Amino acid sequence: MESVQAIKQRFGIIGNTPALNRAIEKAIQVAPTDISVLVTGESGVGKESIPKIIHQLSHRKHNKYIAVNCGAIPEGTIDSELFGHEKGAFTGATQTREGYFEVADGGTIFLDEVGELPLTTQVRLLRVLENGEFLKVGSSKVQKTNVRIVAATNINMFEAIQKEKFREDLFYRLSTVDIHLPPLRERQEDIHLLFRKFASDFALKYKMPTVKLTDNAVHLLLKYRWGGNIRQLRNIAEQLSVLEQDRTITAETLRSYLPTTGSNLPAVIKTSKSEGDFSSEREILYKVLFDMKSDLNDLKKLTMELMKTGNVKDVEKNNEGLIQKIYGDADEDEADYEDTSEETEVLSIPEHLESMEDIGSTQDKYHFAEEIEEEETLSLQDKELELIKKSLERHNGKRKLAAAELGISERTLYRKIKQYDL
Ligand SMILES: Nc1ncnc2c1ncn2[C@@H]1O[C@H](COP(=O)(O)OP(=O)(O)OP(=O)(O)O)[C@@H](O)[C@H]1O
Ligand SMILES: [Mg+2]
């Protein structure tokens, strides 16, 4: 039997908390059997690796493993998805279709968010669990399947049973063995370890030095509630890795990334994945894209000017702002954002760029390219505007925090606020 440590390595599971080790140990023990397992724990605690471990360590490992997110399939189609349908069973059913229970015969089905299953589907599921029988939608022919079921939920199933949203008999049938994963805040010794692992992964991914936390920042990391658990921690590590120029993260910087809402939610909750979790990844991407695009456009503009006039000094003089924007301002953190007259530090354009008349013939081509860019830039500007608005909202209009989140200086943010008339 593989050791807990070996399994952790194989499935990329970080952490040493006894409760985590116990959960993995349980998964290893039940894997060779056909016992139904219910994995419980808050959102983002890592429930999805448990069914994978169980399948891989079972005699079913050469057969199919299908993960179904029960919460994501519309009520009207879930029976057909799981059990298949006959041709003509409903409008649009032009072909007979096999469901997951037929396809995964001999394998394992992971029913994620099982608490979201409609009651009618629960009846069908109970029958499969009890004797391996099911009916395709629109068929009266009983079919047999041999499927191991592992389910997961982040809602309080007892509450769901009380509210008659979940069948009690099905619950007991599904949870012959319960594997519980503890929330991150109860895994104190793992928090910093996980952060370091994520920070080093993201440093590699984005080819930047690894961010490091000061002692105070570590302290804050440990006492934060982590409502979104490991998913949230990973997300914050990614944001810091992408947005922070100073790679030493202070408690103050870290605090500006940690949402303060929702910190008093009860222990087992249906945390509909916090919007911040998902939108932030998109936002980071938009930001990186926008910055790249805008730099590229500025550079093109500058090159065009140079090609047209061929006079470096004039171009330098007429485009001080642009050059400063591309090559950076020396006094970024200056307090007086209003005063732009002092932006005098300008980088020189290398002399050899001075004679470029012969490229002038390609001007038309550049013109064409510029027209297309215009549109893309516009939609990116919309995204940037949206990003800035959201960030300001999140930080109650505090420019310093918003600028830190967006990875730009307060001065740049101020300029953008003016530009967009926010
Ligand atoms: N111990 C761990 N080590 C490394 N990464 C982990 C660990 N636990 C979870 N993760 C990562 O955290 C993220 C969330 O995990 P997962 O998707 O399994 O959460 P979940 O419990 O299924 O949440 P939900 O109930 O919202 O579906 C994933 O990216 C996963 O890889
Ligand atoms: Mg999940």
Side-chain angles (χ1 to χ4, degrees), residues 223-273:
K223 70 173 203 228
Y224 186 68
R225 194 177 184 278
W226 297 112
N229 292 291
I230 299 164
R231 183 181 289 117
Q232 186 186 13
L233 178 69
R234 191 170 180 274
N235 215 279
I236 300 280
E238 181 164 26
Q239 290 185 42
L240 287 166
S241 302
V242 175
L243 299 174
E244 282 307 309
Q245 289 182 352
D246 185 350
R247 309 306 276 176
T248 302
I249 308 297
T250 62
E252 197 194 359
T253 306
L254 176 61
R255 191 170 293 115
S256 69
Y257 283 80
L258 301 175
T260 47
T261 48
S263 55
N264 294 317
L265 295 169
V268 179
I269 38 158
K270 168 83 186 133
T271 40
S272 53
K273 290 162 192 164

Short mmCIF file of all heavy atoms in Angstrom, two decimals, residues 223-273:
data_model
loop_
_atom_site.label_atom_id
_atom_site.label_comp_id
_atom_site.label_asym_id
_atom_site.label_seq_id
_atom_site.Cartn_x
_atom_site.Cartn_y
_atom_site.Cartn_z
N LYS A 223 -3.53 34.38 10.74
CA LYS A 223 -4.74 34.65 11.51
C LYS A 223 -5.94 35.02 10.64
O LYS A 223 -7.05 35.14 11.14
CB LYS A 223 -4.49 35.68 12.62
CG LYS A 223 -4.22 37.07 12.19
CD LYS A 223 -4.17 37.96 13.42
CE LYS A 223 -4.47 39.35 13.01
NZ LYS A 223 -3.91 40.47 13.25
N TYR A 224 -5.74 35.13 9.33
CA TYR A 224 -6.86 35.42 8.43
C TYR A 224 -7.80 34.22 8.36
O TYR A 224 -7.38 33.09 8.55
CB TYR A 224 -6.31 35.77 7.04
CG TYR A 224 -7.38 36.23 6.09
CD1 TYR A 224 -8.03 37.45 6.28
CD2 TYR A 224 -7.76 35.45 5.00
CE1 TYR A 224 -9.02 37.87 5.41
CE2 TYR A 224 -8.75 35.87 4.14
CZ TYR A 224 -9.38 37.07 4.34
OH TYR A 224 -10.37 37.47 3.50
N ARG A 225 -9.09 34.47 8.07
CA ARG A 225 -10.06 33.38 8.14
C ARG A 225 -10.08 32.43 6.92
O ARG A 225 -10.50 31.30 6.99
CB ARG A 225 -11.47 33.96 8.34
CG ARG A 225 -12.45 32.87 8.77
CD ARG A 225 -13.83 33.40 9.03
NE ARG A 225 -14.67 32.32 9.52
CZ ARG A 225 -15.26 31.46 8.73
NH1 ARG A 225 -15.11 31.54 7.43
NH2 ARG A 225 -16.01 30.50 9.24
N TRP A 226 -9.66 32.87 5.79
CA TRP A 226 -9.59 32.06 4.57
C TRP A 226 -10.92 31.37 4.25
O TRP A 226 -10.98 30.14 4.16
CB TRP A 226 -8.44 31.04 4.63
CG TRP A 226 -7.11 31.70 4.72
CD1 TRP A 226 -6.26 31.67 5.79
CD2 TRP A 226 -6.50 32.54 3.73
NE1 TRP A 226 -5.15 32.46 5.53
CE2 TRP A 226 -5.27 33.00 4.27
CE3 TRP A 226 -6.85 32.97 2.45
CZ2 TRP A 226 -4.42 33.85 3.59
CZ3 TRP A 226 -6.00 33.83 1.77
CH2 TRP A 226 -4.80 34.24 2.33
N GLY A 227 -11.97 32.20 4.08
CA GLY A 227 -13.29 31.65 3.75
C GLY A 227 -13.28 30.84 2.46
O GLY A 227 -14.02 29.88 2.32
N GLY A 228 -12.41 31.21 1.53
CA GLY A 228 -12.33 30.47 0.26
C GLY A 228 -11.22 29.41 0.29
O GLY A 228 -10.86 28.83 -0.73
N ASN A 229 -10.66 29.21 1.47
CA ASN A 229 -9.65 28.18 1.73
C ASN A 229 -8.47 28.20 0.77
O ASN A 229 -7.99 29.26 0.42
CB ASN A 229 -10.34 26.81 1.79
CG ASN A 229 -11.22 26.73 3.02
OD1 ASN A 229 -10.72 26.69 4.13
ND2 ASN A 229 -12.54 26.77 2.82
N ILE A 230 -8.02 26.99 0.33
CA ILE A 230 -6.77 26.93 -0.43
C ILE A 230 -6.92 27.62 -1.78
O ILE A 230 -5.99 28.25 -2.28
CB ILE A 230 -6.32 25.47 -0.58
CG1 ILE A 230 -6.08 24.92 0.82
CG2 ILE A 230 -5.05 25.35 -1.40
CD1 ILE A 230 -6.00 23.45 0.93
N ARG A 231 -8.12 27.56 -2.35
CA ARG A 231 -8.36 28.25 -3.63
C ARG A 231 -8.09 29.75 -3.46
O ARG A 231 -7.45 30.38 -4.29
CB ARG A 231 -9.79 28.00 -4.09
CG ARG A 231 -10.08 28.63 -5.45
CD ARG A 231 -11.49 28.42 -5.92
NE ARG A 231 -11.78 27.05 -6.29
CZ ARG A 231 -12.65 26.28 -5.68
NH1 ARG A 231 -13.34 26.73 -4.65
NH2 ARG A 231 -12.86 25.05 -6.09
N GLN A 232 -8.55 30.29 -2.36
CA GLN A 232 -8.38 31.73 -2.11
C GLN A 232 -6.90 32.06 -1.86
O GLN A 232 -6.37 33.04 -2.38
CB GLN A 232 -9.24 32.16 -0.91
CG GLN A 232 -9.22 33.66 -0.70
CD GLN A 232 -9.94 34.10 0.56
OE1 GLN A 232 -10.28 33.27 1.43
NE2 GLN A 232 -10.18 35.38 0.68
N LEU A 233 -6.24 31.21 -1.07
CA LEU A 233 -4.82 31.44 -0.76
C LEU A 233 -3.99 31.43 -2.05
O LEU A 233 -3.12 32.27 -2.27
CB LEU A 233 -4.32 30.35 0.20
CG LEU A 233 -2.85 30.42 0.59
CD1 LEU A 233 -2.59 31.64 1.48
CD2 LEU A 233 -2.41 29.16 1.33
N ARG A 234 -4.29 30.49 -2.92
CA ARG A 234 -3.59 30.35 -4.20
C ARG A 234 -3.81 31.61 -5.05
O ARG A 234 -2.89 32.12 -5.67
CB ARG A 234 -4.15 29.11 -4.90
CG ARG A 234 -3.39 28.67 -6.09
CD ARG A 234 -3.93 27.31 -6.52
NE ARG A 234 -3.22 26.84 -7.68
CZ ARG A 234 -3.55 27.17 -8.92
NH1 ARG A 234 -4.59 27.93 -9.15
NH2 ARG A 234 -2.85 26.71 -9.94
N ASN A 235 -5.04 32.05 -5.02
CA ASN A 235 -5.42 33.23 -5.77
C ASN A 235 -4.67 34.48 -5.31
O ASN A 235 -4.17 35.26 -6.11
CB ASN A 235 -6.91 33.43 -5.51
CG ASN A 235 -7.59 33.97 -6.71
OD1 ASN A 235 -7.52 35.16 -6.93
ND2 ASN A 235 -8.20 33.11 -7.50
N ILE A 236 -4.59 34.63 -3.98
CA ILE A 236 -3.88 35.79 -3.42
C ILE A 236 -2.39 35.69 -3.77
O ILE A 236 -1.77 36.68 -4.15
CB ILE A 236 -4.06 35.83 -1.87
CG1 ILE A 236 -5.54 35.94 -1.49
CG2 ILE A 236 -3.21 36.94 -1.24
CD1 ILE A 236 -6.15 37.30 -1.60
N ALA A 237 -1.84 34.47 -3.66
CA ALA A 237 -0.42 34.29 -3.99
C ALA A 237 -0.18 34.67 -5.46
O ALA A 237 0.83 35.29 -5.79
CB ALA A 237 0.00 32.84 -3.74
N GLU A 238 -1.13 34.35 -6.31
CA GLU A 238 -0.97 34.67 -7.74
C GLU A 238 -1.05 36.19 -7.95
O GLU A 238 -0.23 36.76 -8.66
CB GLU A 238 -2.04 33.97 -8.58
CG GLU A 238 -1.87 34.28 -10.07
CD GLU A 238 -2.62 33.35 -10.99
OE1 GLU A 238 -3.63 32.77 -10.54
OE2 GLU A 238 -2.20 33.20 -12.14
N GLN A 239 -2.02 36.82 -7.30
CA GLN A 239 -2.16 38.26 -7.47
C GLN A 239 -0.90 38.98 -7.01
O GLN A 239 -0.38 39.85 -7.70
CB GLN A 239 -3.35 38.78 -6.68
CG GLN A 239 -4.68 38.34 -7.25
CD GLN A 239 -5.82 38.99 -6.49
OE1 GLN A 239 -5.78 40.16 -6.16
NE2 GLN A 239 -6.83 38.21 -6.19
N LEU A 240 -0.40 38.59 -5.83
CA LEU A 240 0.81 39.24 -5.30
C LEU A 240 1.98 39.00 -6.26
O LEU A 240 2.75 39.91 -6.55
CB LEU A 240 1.16 38.66 -3.93
CG LEU A 240 0.26 39.09 -2.76
CD1 LEU A 240 0.49 38.19 -1.55
CD2 LEU A 240 0.53 40.55 -2.37
N SER A 241 2.08 37.78 -6.77
CA SER A 241 3.20 37.44 -7.65
C SER A 241 3.17 38.25 -8.93
O SER A 241 4.21 38.61 -9.47
CB SER A 241 3.16 35.95 -8.01
OG SER A 241 3.20 35.18 -6.85
N VAL A 242 1.97 38.55 -9.42
CA VAL A 242 1.87 39.26 -10.69
C VAL A 242 1.93 40.78 -10.49
O VAL A 242 2.57 41.48 -11.25
CB VAL A 242 0.55 38.91 -11.41
CG1 VAL A 242 0.37 39.74 -12.66
CG2 VAL A 242 0.52 37.44 -11.77
N LEU A 243 1.27 41.25 -9.44
CA LEU A 243 1.08 42.70 -9.33
C LEU A 243 2.13 43.46 -8.52
O LEU A 243 2.33 44.63 -8.74
CB LEU A 243 -0.31 43.00 -8.75
CG LEU A 243 -1.50 42.48 -9.57
CD1 LEU A 243 -2.80 42.71 -8.82
CD2 LEU A 243 -1.56 43.15 -10.93
N GLU A 244 2.75 42.79 -7.55
CA GLU A 244 3.65 43.53 -6.66
C GLU A 244 5.07 43.66 -7.23
O GLU A 244 5.70 42.64 -7.52
CB GLU A 244 3.72 42.84 -5.29
CG GLU A 244 2.52 43.13 -4.42
CD GLU A 244 2.24 44.62 -4.26
OE1 GLU A 244 3.17 45.37 -3.90
OE2 GLU A 244 1.10 45.04 -4.51
N GLN A 245 5.53 44.90 -7.35
CA GLN A 245 6.89 45.07 -7.87
C GLN A 245 7.92 44.81 -6.78
O GLN A 245 8.95 44.21 -7.03
CB GLN A 245 7.03 46.46 -8.45
CG GLN A 245 6.22 46.48 -9.72
CD GLN A 245 6.25 47.77 -10.47
OE1 GLN A 245 6.78 48.76 -9.99
NE2 GLN A 245 5.67 47.74 -11.64
N ASP A 246 7.62 45.28 -5.57
CA ASP A 246 8.51 44.98 -4.46
C ASP A 246 8.20 43.55 -4.03
O ASP A 246 7.11 43.24 -3.57
CB ASP A 246 8.23 45.96 -3.31
CG ASP A 246 9.21 45.78 -2.17
OD1 ASP A 246 9.96 44.77 -2.20
OD2 ASP A 246 9.24 46.64 -1.27
N ARG A 247 9.19 42.67 -4.18
CA ARG A 247 8.93 41.24 -3.96
C ARG A 247 8.91 40.87 -2.48
O ARG A 247 8.67 39.72 -2.13
CB ARG A 247 9.93 40.36 -4.72
CG ARG A 247 10.08 40.70 -6.18
CD ARG A 247 8.78 40.70 -6.93
NE ARG A 247 8.35 39.40 -7.38
CZ ARG A 247 7.19 39.17 -8.00
NH1 ARG A 247 6.36 40.18 -8.22
NH2 ARG A 247 6.84 37.96 -8.37
N THR A 248 9.20 41.83 -1.60
CA THR A 248 9.04 41.56 -0.17
C THR A 248 7.68 42.11 0.25
O THR A 248 7.44 43.32 0.18
CB THR A 248 10.16 42.24 0.65
OG1 THR A 248 11.40 41.73 0.16
CG2 THR A 248 10.04 41.91 2.13
N ILE A 249 6.80 41.22 0.65
CA ILE A 249 5.42 41.63 0.91
C ILE A 249 5.23 41.94 2.39
O ILE A 249 5.44 41.07 3.25
CB ILE A 249 4.43 40.50 0.50
CG1 ILE A 249 4.71 40.04 -0.94
CG2 ILE A 249 2.99 40.93 0.70
CD1 ILE A 249 4.51 41.08 -2.01
N THR A 250 4.84 43.17 2.67
CA THR A 250 4.61 43.56 4.06
C THR A 250 3.17 43.22 4.45
O THR A 250 2.33 42.93 3.58
CB THR A 250 4.79 45.08 4.24
OG1 THR A 250 3.80 45.72 3.41
CG2 THR A 250 6.17 45.54 3.82
N ALA A 251 2.90 43.28 5.77
CA ALA A 251 1.55 42.98 6.25
C ALA A 251 0.55 43.96 5.64
O ALA A 251 -0.56 43.59 5.27
CB ALA A 251 1.52 43.07 7.77
N GLU A 252 1.00 45.22 5.49
CA GLU A 252 0.10 46.24 4.94
C GLU A 252 -0.30 45.91 3.50
O GLU A 252 -1.46 46.00 3.12
CB GLU A 252 0.79 47.60 5.01
CG GLU A 252 -0.18 48.75 4.87
CD GLU A 252 0.50 50.06 4.60
OE1 GLU A 252 1.74 50.10 4.54
OE2 GLU A 252 -0.23 51.05 4.43
N THR A 253 0.69 45.53 2.73
CA THR A 253 0.41 45.16 1.33
C THR A 253 -0.52 43.96 1.30
O THR A 253 -1.53 43.95 0.59
CB THR A 253 1.73 44.82 0.59
OG1 THR A 253 2.61 45.90 0.76
CG2 THR A 253 1.48 44.54 -0.87
N LEU A 254 -0.18 42.95 2.09
CA LEU A 254 -1.00 41.73 2.09
C LEU A 254 -2.44 42.06 2.48
O LEU A 254 -3.39 41.58 1.85
CB LEU A 254 -0.40 40.70 3.06
CG LEU A 254 -1.20 39.41 3.24
CD1 LEU A 254 -1.34 38.65 1.93
CD2 LEU A 254 -0.54 38.50 4.29
N ARG A 255 -2.59 42.93 3.50
CA ARG A 255 -3.93 43.27 3.98
C ARG A 255 -4.78 43.86 2.85
O ARG A 255 -5.97 43.58 2.75
CB ARG A 255 -3.84 44.26 5.15
CG ARG A 255 -5.17 44.46 5.86
CD ARG A 255 -5.04 45.24 7.15
NE ARG A 255 -4.29 44.53 8.18
CZ ARG A 255 -3.12 44.91 8.67
NH1 ARG A 255 -2.55 46.01 8.24
NH2 ARG A 255 -2.51 44.20 9.59
N SER A 256 -4.15 44.62 1.98
CA SER A 256 -4.92 45.26 0.92
C SER A 256 -5.46 44.23 -0.08
O SER A 256 -6.33 44.54 -0.89
CB SER A 256 -4.08 46.31 0.20
OG SER A 256 -3.05 45.69 -0.53
N TYR A 257 -4.95 43.03 -0.04
CA TYR A 257 -5.44 41.97 -0.94
C TYR A 257 -6.51 41.09 -0.29
O TYR A 257 -7.14 40.30 -0.96
CB TYR A 257 -4.28 41.06 -1.37
CG TYR A 257 -3.39 41.67 -2.42
CD1 TYR A 257 -2.41 42.60 -2.09
CD2 TYR A 257 -3.52 41.33 -3.77
CE1 TYR A 257 -1.59 43.18 -3.04
CE2 TYR A 257 -2.71 41.89 -4.74
CZ TYR A 257 -1.75 42.82 -4.36
OH TYR A 257 -0.95 43.38 -5.32
N LEU A 258 -6.63 41.20 1.03
CA LEU A 258 -7.53 40.29 1.73
C LEU A 258 -8.91 40.92 1.92
O LEU A 258 -9.02 41.92 2.62
CB LEU A 258 -6.95 39.91 3.10
CG LEU A 258 -5.58 39.24 3.08
CD1 LEU A 258 -5.07 39.01 4.49
CD2 LEU A 258 -5.63 37.91 2.33
N PRO A 259 -9.94 40.34 1.32
CA PRO A 259 -11.28 40.91 1.52
C PRO A 259 -11.66 40.83 2.98
O PRO A 259 -11.31 39.87 3.67
CB PRO A 259 -12.18 40.01 0.68
CG PRO A 259 -11.30 39.13 -0.11
CD PRO A 259 -9.95 39.14 0.51
N THR A 260 -12.37 41.86 3.45
CA THR A 260 -12.74 41.85 4.87
C THR A 260 -14.16 41.37 5.08
O THR A 260 -14.58 41.12 6.19
CB THR A 260 -12.61 43.26 5.47
OG1 THR A 260 -13.23 44.16 4.57
CG2 THR A 260 -11.17 43.63 5.68
N THR A 261 -14.91 41.22 3.98
CA THR A 261 -16.31 40.80 4.13
C THR A 261 -16.40 39.28 4.27
O THR A 261 -15.48 38.56 3.92
CB THR A 261 -17.15 41.20 2.91
OG1 THR A 261 -16.42 40.79 1.76
CG2 THR A 261 -17.42 42.67 2.89
N GLY A 262 -17.52 38.84 4.80
CA GLY A 262 -17.81 37.40 4.85
C GLY A 262 -17.00 36.66 5.88
O GLY A 262 -16.97 35.44 5.91
N SER A 263 -16.32 37.38 6.79
CA SER A 263 -15.43 36.69 7.71
C SER A 263 -16.16 36.04 8.88
O SER A 263 -15.56 35.31 9.65
CB SER A 263 -14.38 37.65 8.23
OG SER A 263 -15.04 38.75 8.81
N ASN A 264 -17.47 36.29 9.02
CA ASN A 264 -18.16 35.68 10.15
C ASN A 264 -19.12 34.58 9.74
O ASN A 264 -20.04 34.23 10.47
CB ASN A 264 -18.93 36.74 10.93
CG ASN A 264 -17.95 37.71 11.56
OD1 ASN A 264 -16.94 37.27 12.09
ND2 ASN A 264 -18.23 38.99 11.45
N LEU A 265 -18.89 34.03 8.56
CA LEU A 265 -19.79 32.98 8.09
C LEU A 265 -19.60 31.73 8.93
O LEU A 265 -18.52 31.47 9.43
CB LEU A 265 -19.50 32.66 6.62
CG LEU A 265 -19.77 33.81 5.66
CD1 LEU A 265 -19.20 33.50 4.29
CD2 LEU A 265 -21.26 34.06 5.56
N PRO A 266 -20.67 30.93 9.07
CA PRO A 266 -20.53 29.71 9.86
C PRO A 266 -19.59 28.70 9.21
O PRO A 266 -19.21 28.86 8.06
CB PRO A 266 -21.95 29.16 9.91
CG PRO A 266 -22.68 29.82 8.81
CD PRO A 266 -22.02 31.12 8.58
N ALA A 267 -19.24 27.67 9.97
CA ALA A 267 -18.17 26.77 9.54
C ALA A 267 -18.47 26.02 8.24
O ALA A 267 -17.66 26.01 7.34
CB ALA A 267 -17.88 25.78 10.63
N VAL A 268 -19.64 25.38 8.15
CA VAL A 268 -19.93 24.66 6.90
C VAL A 268 -20.96 25.47 6.14
O VAL A 268 -22.07 25.67 6.60
CB VAL A 268 -20.47 23.25 7.16
CG1 VAL A 268 -20.78 22.55 5.84
CG2 VAL A 268 -19.45 22.45 7.94
N ILE A 269 -20.54 25.96 5.01
CA ILE A 269 -21.41 26.90 4.31
C ILE A 269 -21.41 26.63 2.84
O ILE A 269 -20.50 25.99 2.31
CB ILE A 269 -20.91 28.35 4.51
CG1 ILE A 269 -19.38 28.32 4.48
CG2 ILE A 269 -21.49 28.98 5.74
CD1 ILE A 269 -18.79 29.63 4.15
N LYS A 270 -22.44 27.16 2.21
CA LYS A 270 -22.44 27.10 0.75
C LYS A 270 -21.87 28.43 0.31
O LYS A 270 -22.58 29.41 0.12
CB LYS A 270 -23.88 26.93 0.26
CG LYS A 270 -24.06 27.14 -1.21
CD LYS A 270 -23.72 25.90 -1.97
CE LYS A 270 -23.77 26.15 -3.46
NZ LYS A 270 -22.62 25.62 -4.13
N THR A 271 -20.56 28.51 0.25
CA THR A 271 -19.98 29.76 -0.23
C THR A 271 -19.98 29.70 -1.73
O THR A 271 -19.13 29.06 -2.31
CB THR A 271 -18.52 29.93 0.24
OG1 THR A 271 -17.89 28.66 0.15
CG2 THR A 271 -18.42 30.49 1.63
N SER A 272 -21.00 30.33 -2.32
CA SER A 272 -20.98 30.39 -3.77
C SER A 272 -19.68 31.10 -4.07
O SER A 272 -19.44 32.18 -3.56
CB SER A 272 -22.14 31.20 -4.30
OG SER A 272 -22.15 32.44 -3.68
N LYS A 273 -18.84 30.45 -4.86
CA LYS A 273 -17.47 30.87 -5.03
C LYS A 273 -17.39 32.39 -5.17
O LYS A 273 -17.96 32.95 -6.07
CB LYS A 273 -16.87 30.18 -6.25
CG LYS A 273 -16.70 28.71 -5.93
CD LYS A 273 -16.55 27.88 -7.14
CE LYS A 273 -16.70 26.42 -6.76
NZ LYS A 273 -16.94 25.56 -7.86
#
